[in-house]
Amino acid sequence: MQKLGEFKLPHFFNYPPYFTLQPVRDTREKQVQLWKELIIEYCRAQKVFIIGLEEDFPLFSNRAIERRAEWTDKGHKKCLILWHRIQEWADLIVHFVKENGLEDNVMTVEEIRSGTESRGTELYGIDRSVLMRALKLLEHKGKLVIFKGTSTDDEGVKFSL
């Protein structure tokens, strides 16, 4: 069992799904409750009354499973929560493309995030910055080309899987 100071982390802290937002409502509610309890117990044990957003908070990173919070601004007021690594998001995109027969098609970035094909998948509603990072990774690997339109709504993706 991993320790933070004298605080013993629960056994599930090193279990990646604990850091992955669960899609099933009942499971997600249990997960959120476990996180609330963990944060409260940790703060009680460590006598932490305020969590400074500009400071590193030990529960928001886990080197053993390579998961951590990522700040989106220099002031550390907004935190990006990656319940999948960028590579895993990229894998989900490839799966989505193949499953929908889009291997040689063009889609807009918005269609990937909110189109008919993405409804009911983890890609539906994905944060645009996370999606763009995954798409850029796939572009770097030669699996697609991102092209710009006249506005960000016009950005397109040409798959070549």
Side-chain angles (χ1 to χ4, degrees), residues 17-125:
Y18 186 65
F19 282 81
T20 304
L21 190 61
Q22 297 299 304
V24 176
R25 185 173 164 230
D26 289 344
T27 307
R28 182 175 52 249
E29 287 174 359
K30 177 65 175 167
Q31 177 188 32
V32 169
Q33 185 61 36
L34 287 171
W35 266 107
K36 288 177 184 177
E37 291 169 7
L38 175 61
I39 292 168
I40 289 168
E41 289 303 315
Y42 174 82
C43 290
R44 179 181 294 131
Q46 299 297 316
K47 304 286 188 213
V48 174
F49 292 90
I50 297 171
I51 298 172
L53 295 179
E54 60 282 337
E55 302 164 12
D56 284 334
F57 188 65
L59 296 181
F60 295 162
S61 68
N62 186 332
R63 289 185 183 157
I65 60 171
E66 298 176 0
R67 298 287 170 97
R68 65 179 170 82
E70 182 177 312
W71 297 107
T72 62
D73 62 332
K74 290 182 182 177
H76 288 196
K77 300 218 184 284
K78 292 183 180 179
C79 182
L80 178 65
I81 306 298
L82 291 172
W83 55 83
H84 289 300
R85 295 182 183 116
I86 296 299
Q87 177 60 58
E88 292 168 341
W89 281 115
D91 293 344
L92 285 169
I93 293 167
V94 168
H95 178 75
F96 165 79
V97 168
K98 289 180 177 178
E99 191 172 88
N100 288 286
L102 303 168
E103 287 92 335
D104 293 310
N105 287 13
V106 174
M107 291 184 81
T108 66
V109 171
E110 285 307 307
E111 285 177 314
I112 297 170
R113 293 182 68 227
S114 59
T116 307
E117 293 91 351
S118 67
R119 283 199 184 121
T121 73
E122 285 194 82
L123 295 176
Y124 190 77

Side-chain angles (χ1 to χ4, degrees), residues 117-149:
E117 293 91 351
S118 67
R119 283 199 184 121
T121 73
E122 285 194 82
L123 295 176
Y124 190 77
I126 185 175
D127 178 82
R128 185 179 178 81
S129 67
V130 173
L131 176 59
M132 291 308 297
R133 286 172 61 181
L135 290 172
K136 286 176 183 171
L137 177 63
L138 290 171
E139 183 177 44
H140 180 73
K141 292 181 174 187
K143 296 187 178 197
L144 58 83
V145 174
I146 301 170
F147 55 91
K148 304 259 184 229

